[in-house]
Each structure stands twice: as structure tokens, then as C-alpha cells.
Amino acid sequence: MAFLKFILITVAVYFVIRFLFKLFLPFAMRKAAEKLMKKAQEQGGAYSGQGQGGAFYYEFTGQGQQENKRSQPEGKIQVDYIPPKETPERKGTETAGEFVDFEEIK
């Protein structure tokens, strides 16, 4: 009897949790999307909402690039990062070592 009671309680808890996820998951996803859009908007883009179902897209307006151009005098170039030079990989016989000639005997 205790096992049957345990199974019924487990099934009931499963359905309650499933119902709560269906109820609150869209709300949580909408809030997360709004948070991402706000963060993207602060970085220099513009948010455009289309429809009411949460269908939206991110449109870049280039405001961040305009701010960078104003802070530097025209004609000056500033390099932020120069990647290190890599040595070309040796391929083929250069890395294989020594070879010994042989004759095939039939």
C-alpha cells in the first residue's frame, strides 16, 4: 500500500511540475530575451519589436562605430592587436626523417 501511495504522489508531483513549467517558462524566456536586448542596445544597437508574440530582431545602427571615429583624429590609425607570427608547419619529407632506398624483389 505504501508503494502505491508513493507512485501516486510521484505522478502527481510530476504533473504539477510539468504544469508549472508550461506556465512560467514562457515568462522566464521573455524576461531573458528582454535582458539580452537591453544589453545589446546599451552596446550600440537598436531594438525593433515586431508583433506582440515576442518575435523580434536585433538591428545594428552603427552608433558604436561613429563614437570611435569622433574620438580619433582623422588620418590616424590605431592597431589594438597584432597576432603573433606562426612558423609554417613542415610537411612531407621534411618532418618524416631519413629514408633508405630499397629494391623490391619479386
Side-chain angles (χ1 to χ4, degrees), residues 55-80:
F56 42 78
Y57 67 99
Y58 178 75
E59 178 182 309
F60 183 72
T61 59
Q63 293 173 351
Q65 292 178 348
Q66 292 174 355
E67 291 173 6
N68 289 340
K69 288 182 180 178
R70 293 179 190 150
S71 64
Q72 293 179 356
E74 191 169 331
K76 298 279 182 165
I77 297 175
Q78 179 181 358
V79 179
D80 294 331

